[in-house]
């Protein structure tokens, strides 16, 4: 049995009347330890082999075949975990140390190249044929590129656009990755395409906690480089809910994903482009701060401002004013605080480090605590 700490995963579906409900709620079952008892490895939350993602079905697609770089027709959402390095660790006696070497394909792993440099507490310098949304859930870790080294803390998100990189985790780690198969027009080089300029760092808004966005890419062959490390530049507020903030970090406008420097010039909508995805971080203030002050007009104004007026399922009898439904699969990680996932037929309380997979669900997020809550949401185009 795996010694990896369990990851709570809530997966939604629909009942015979079409009402959203919980299908699975418990530890994600598909864990892969790097070696028995090591405390290092991956837990697959969800895997998809085709794009758009199916939003129906009775199978638990978290149990599909394990492939490190993910299926070429789709991708996967997984959590990487590792224990902290002991105080008496001696790298010279580490049996897993591999010296740096020229780039080469990893055997039996399509779309993965390595350059060595790994140990029990550092990954190899590697590159995958994927666009990754990497979200730190618990404990920070160092992101090492060819031109810099960055400490990532809880809630920070890196957009890895097919870049060479390695991870150093002396204090352990728990980090989620949404890995989406990408288009490498130049083969294994996987270089940046086009010349879109990253948006400038935004002026910070009073009372809004910034969401850190790191973007990496390969400008030249064999060299992972930093594109930007700033607060997310596209933030939308809701005047009816002071303290609400939705930061958009990246958009993929098709599948396979493109190797580009920036995507936030694309239209702002809750739904992703066809065959695409959107990565966001959303802050929810306590419901008590706005409850009783929001009605049909305020909700309609919010969804219009988000570019998706048709996503709202508001009605006076709805379980929450901000219920919404889209033809998408959403991977939602609670980053801070406590929050309640409200569905048609059920609701469930969730805490930091827990993950929900919403499959075309009519839903809302309700913060019934006295403190703000923060949730990352990776939304993918779906199909019935």
């Amino acid at each position: 049995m795996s010694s990896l700490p369990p990851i709570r995963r809530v997966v939604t579906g629909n009942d015979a009347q079409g009402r959203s409900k919980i299908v699975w709620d418990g530890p994600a079952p598909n864990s892969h330890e790097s070696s028995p008892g090591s405390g290092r490895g991956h837990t697959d939350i969800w895997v998809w082999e085709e794009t758009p993602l199916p939003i129906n079905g009775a199978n638990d697609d978290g149990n599909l075949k394990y492939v490190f770089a993910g299926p070429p027709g789709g991708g996967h959402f997984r959590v990487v975990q590792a224990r902290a390095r002991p105080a008496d660790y001696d790298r010279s006696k580490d049996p897993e140390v591999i010296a740096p070497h020229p780039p080469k394909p990893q055997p039996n792993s399509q779309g993965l190249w390595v350059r060595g440099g790994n140990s029990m507490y550092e990954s190899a310098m590697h590159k995958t044929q994927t666009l990754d949304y990497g979200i730190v859930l618990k404990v920070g870790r160092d992101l090492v590129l060819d031109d810099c080294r960055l400490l990532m803390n809880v809630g920070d998100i890196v957009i890895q656009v097919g870049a060479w990189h390695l991870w150093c985790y002396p204090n352990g780690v728990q980090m989620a990755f949404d890995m989406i198969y990408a288009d490498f027009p130049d083969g294994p080089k996987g270089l940046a395409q086009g010349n879109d300029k990253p948006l400038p760092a935004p002026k910070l808004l009073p009372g809004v906690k910034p969401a850190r966005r790191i973007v990496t890419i390969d400008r030249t062959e064999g060299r992972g480089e930093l594109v930007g490390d700033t607060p997310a530049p596209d933030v939308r507020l809701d005047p009816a809910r002071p303290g609400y903030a939705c930061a958009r970090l990246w958009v993929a406008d098709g599948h396979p994903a493109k190797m580009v420097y920036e995507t936030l010039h694309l239209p702002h909508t809750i739904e992703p482009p066809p065959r695409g995805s959107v990565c966001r971080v959303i802050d929810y203030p306590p419901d008590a701060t706005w409850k009783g002050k929001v009605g049909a007009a305020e909700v309609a104004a919010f969804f219009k401002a988000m570019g998706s007026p048709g996503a709202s399922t508001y009605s006076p009898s709805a379980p929450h004013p901000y219920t919404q439904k889209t033809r998408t699969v959403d991977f939602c990680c609670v980053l801070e605080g406590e929050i309640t996932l409200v569905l048609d037929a059920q609701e469930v309380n969730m805490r930091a480090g827990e993950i929900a997979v919403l499959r075309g669900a009519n839903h809302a997020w309700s913060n019934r605590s006295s403190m703000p809550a923060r949730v990352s949401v990776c939304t993918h185009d779906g199909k019935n």
Side-chain angles (χ1 to χ4, degrees):
M1 293 187 61
S2 172
S3 68
L4 297 177
I7 305 294
R8 184 190 179 197
R9 184 196 62 162
V10 174
V11 182
T12 70
N14 293 293
D15 63 18
Q17 289 74 45
R19 299 177 302 171
S20 55
K21 66 171 186 175
I22 304 298
V23 178
W24 295 289
D25 180 358
N30 199 7
S31 291
H32 309 273
E33 203 164 15
S34 58
S35 57
S38 67
R40 290 178 290 120
H42 309 82
T43 299
D44 281 338
I45 303 299
W46 206 251
V47 181
W48 58 100
E49 297 176 333
E50 57 182 318
T51 304
L53 284 68
I55 63 175
N56 299 313
N59 293 329
D60 183 347
D61 287 349
N63 282 318
L64 292 181
K65 183 181 178 182
Y66 170 81
V67 181
F68 181 82
H76 54 201
F77 194 93
R78 64 160 51 126
V79 175
V80 173
Q81 301 187 78
R83 293 175 183 163
R85 185 174 65 196
D88 61 352
Y89 170 74
D90 184 347
R91 197 174 194 277
S92 67
K93 299 178 181 178
D94 185 339
E96 297 189 22
V97 168
I98 297 178
H101 56 72
K104 63 181 181 181
Q106 180 75 357
N108 304 316
S109 295
Q110 182 179 357
L112 170 63
W113 298 267
V114 295
R115 285 169 28 199
N118 46 305
S119 71
M120 292 181 68
Y121 301 99
E122 294 174 299
S123 75
M125 181 64 82
H126 64 286
K127 177 184 180 75
T128 55
Q129 190 171 343
T130 57
L131 166 68
D132 303 348
Y133 307 142
I135 307 152
V136 181
L137 301 179
K138 295 180 182 178
V139 190
R141 72 193 309 206
D142 286 352
L143 168 62
V144 182
L145 303 168
D146 287 289
D147 66 346
C148 66
R149 184 183 188 114
L150 302 171
L151 172 63
M152 292 184 64
N153 294 306
V154 175
D156 292 345
I157 295 181
V158 60
I159 312 298
Q160 291 273 21
V161 191
W164 281 101
H165 66 285
L166 71 76
W167 296 102
C168 182
Y169 35 89
N171 300 313
V173 72
Q174 192 173 97
M175 187 170 181
F177 285 91
D178 188 344
M179 300 179 68
I180 306 159
Y181 190 75
D183 181 22
F184 281 14
D186 51 6
K189 292 180 181 180
L191 300 182
Q193 306 293 312
N195 56 5
D196 292 324
K197 303 299 182 184
L199 296 184
K203 181 179 179 181
L204 298 184
L205 301 171
V208 176
K209 180 181 177 180
R212 184 184 182 192
R213 182 186 79 148
I214 299 167
V215 181
T216 70
I217 209 165
D218 287 6
R219 293 183 173 92
T220 57
E221 185 176 359
R223 184 174 171 82
E225 297 181 358
L226 181 67
V227 174
D229 179 4
T230 70
D234 183 7
V235 181
R236 303 293 172 103
L237 308 179
D238 181 2
R241 287 181 290 177
Y244 176 92
C246 178
R248 189 174 66 145
L249 281 72
W250 199 260
V251 181
D253 63 351
H255 189 282
K258 298 174 183 176
M259 299 289 97
V260 293
Y261 292 100
E262 183 60 277
T263 63
L264 296 185
H265 56 278
L266 294 169
H268 192 294
T269 58
I270 292 174
E271 305 95 335
R275 296 174 59 82
S277 63
V278 182
C279 178
R280 290 186 173 87
V281 171
I282 306 173
D283 290 323
Y284 293 93
D287 286 9
T289 62
W290 56 264
K291 195 171 183 179
K293 305 174 185 177
V294 170
E298 290 79 11
V299 172
F302 166 74
F303 281 96
K304 182 178 179 181
M306 291 294 289
S308 297
S312 174
T313 55
Y314 173 87
S315 79
S317 61
H320 192 278
Y322 287 90
T323 54
Q324 67 177 61
K325 185 172 183 177
T326 53
R327 195 184 63 193
T328 59
V329 176
D330 304 340
F331 304 111
C332 309
C333 301
V334 182
L335 302 178
E336 297 178 18
E338 301 179 12
I339 198 161
T340 300
L341 173 61
V342 179
L343 303 171
D344 290 323
Q346 292 170 275
E347 59 182 43
V348 60
N349 297 322
M350 300 188 68
R351 299 174 180 267
E354 299 176 343
I355 299 173
V357 180
L358 309 183
R359 300 185 293 167
N362 190 42
H363 73 282
W365 292 98
S366 177
N367 183 353
R368 299 168 185 174
S369 76
S370 60
M371 300 296 292
R374 172 167 278 196
V375 181
S376 68
V377 181
C378 299
T379 300
H380 290 255
D381 187 27
K383 65 180 180 181
N384 293 313

